[in-house]
Amino acid sequence: MSTTLHFTKGHGTGNDFVLFSDPDGQVDLTPAQIAAIADRHFGVGGDGVIRAVRSRHIPAGAAALAEDDGAEWFMDYHNADGSIAEMCGNGIRVFARYLFDNGLAELADGDTMAIGTRSGVRDLQRNLSGFQVDLGRWRLAGGEPLVRARNLQIARPGLGIDVGNPHVVVALASDEELDSADLGYIPQLDPEPADGANVEFVVPAEPLVKNGVGHIRMRVHERGSGETLSCGTGAAAAALAVRHWAGAGAPNQWSVQVPGGTVGVRMFPTEDGEHVSLSGPAELVFEGDLTV
């Protein structure tokens, strides 16, 4: 039986998504249907598909409501291949823009909105650049897997960073190396994480720190989506990794340049440990109807 979806296309620094509203949790798309929607040749096209569903109407939302009963909305996010992802830093900002622009939620300046995700509740605020989301506690994932990427001559050690979803960050020596990497091919990790990982390749600016802000440039291959123009959680992981490598005295505020633009990353202390936040633009581009 076919279903007609009214969808919206949005992006955050070029990381693009197909969004649709299903408040009561009545639309159950298969991974194949989601992949067809995300297909850039035969579908709408996007790095992921996001369903806006009220937390009480999705099994994964029970944990979100138990954590924060204000998390009315759940971001049901799938990668472009139809696989489930825990979290998406650019996607949650676009999700918030979608809720507000469609009258599904309100957020006054200075207020905070709780949104349910599979990696827990995330708090979001408006700011001058668009929206800022608290990605929560982060952790070093341990180990230094060797990373091989097409057109990079030798394997490089990566640093595992978890910001609600798994990342491996690789430092490169120059912009030329970064530009030469062919991320249309999946980077090979040794050992390979059980659930895979997003892989970021990063080059520090020269100088690294200007006016108390760290500056880096990054490209990313996202698990289940391929190379994308931006990855919000990946930008946070890259900034955390470079700060870790830089050592004592490294800043807690970072500007991360991705192919699709620039996002901001900030680390800050909380009662339950250090959190990391992501800020940047969120745009809605067009809408339409699609039969799936």
Side-chain angles (χ1 to χ4, degrees):
M1 179 177 177
S2 62
T3 299
T4 299
L5 294 180
H6 185 75
F7 71 87
T8 297
K9 179 71 176 287
H11 78 91
T13 54
N15 198 188
D16 60 342
F17 312 96
V18 181
L19 304 100
F20 69 95
S21 177
D22 179 28
D24 298 328
Q26 297 178 334
V27 179
D28 186 18
L29 298 180
T30 67
Q33 287 175 311
I34 291 169
I37 292 170
D39 190 288
R40 296 191 182 278
H41 299 286
F42 297 101
V44 180
D47 295 323
V49 175
I50 300 174
R51 176 173 65 146
V53 57
R54 286 194 169 91
S55 295
R56 66 179 182 270
H57 293 306
I58 184 172
L65 289 170
E67 181 180 344
D68 185 338
D69 60 10
E72 176 185 3
W73 289 98
F74 190 92
M75 182 180 73
D76 184 21
Y77 181 77
H78 288 75
N79 296 313
D81 65 357
S83 61
I84 291 174
E86 302 90 342
M87 173 56 187
C88 179
N90 287 322
I92 199 169
R93 298 197 324 276
V94 177
F95 180 73
R97 170 71 71 188
Y98 175 81
L99 293 179
F100 304 143
D101 284 14
N102 285 278
L104 299 172
E106 295 182 359
L107 184 66
D109 290 342
D111 288 348
T112 298
M113 179 183 184
I115 293 176
T117 78
R118 287 185 172 84
S119 64
V121 175
R122 297 293 178 258
D123 292 332
L124 186 138
Q125 294 179 320
R126 289 182 185 267
N127 69 4
L128 293 176
S129 66
F131 297 92
Q132 175 175 287
V133 57
D134 180 353
L135 298 176
R137 290 182 62 185
W138 68 278
R139 66 181 179 86
L140 288 172
E144 290 192 349
L146 286 177
V147 182
R148 293 174 173 83
R150 189 178 177 91
N151 291 348
L152 293 182
Q153 297 304 311
I154 58 173
R156 316 297 172 94
L159 180 66
I161 299 277
D162 191 303
V163 288
N165 57 357
H167 296 265
V168 173
V169 184
V170 180
L172 298 182
S174 67
D175 285 329
E176 291 74 21
E177 272 200 328
L178 185 62
D179 292 336
S180 70
D182 186 348
L183 301 187
Y185 292 82
I186 301 174
Q188 301 301 302
L189 305 181
D190 183 16
E192 178 74 28
D195 297 321
N198 304 287
V199 183
E200 288 79 32
F201 296 87
V202 61
V203 173
E206 182 59 47
L208 176 63
V209 180
K210 299 177 185 177
N211 300 319
V213 178
H215 292 262
I216 58 176
R217 182 173 170 235
M218 182 196 87
R219 290 175 62 197
V220 57
H221 186 284
E222 289 197 57
R223 175 190 56 169
S225 296
E227 182 174 13
T228 59
L229 294 180
S230 179
C231 175
T233 54
L240 287 162
V242 174
R243 188 188 65 162
H244 175 78
W245 290 322
N252 291 326
Q253 188 167 338
W254 293 80
S255 176
V256 183
Q257 180 185 347
V258 294
T262 301
V263 294
V265 174
R266 183 172 67 91
M267 303 84 167
F268 56 96
T270 73
E271 291 182 355
D272 65 343
E274 187 176 62
H275 283 212
V276 59
S277 70
L278 173 77
S279 61
E283 306 292 340
L284 303 183
V285 183
F286 64 87
E287 57 186 84
D289 295 296
L290 177 70
T291 300
V292 294

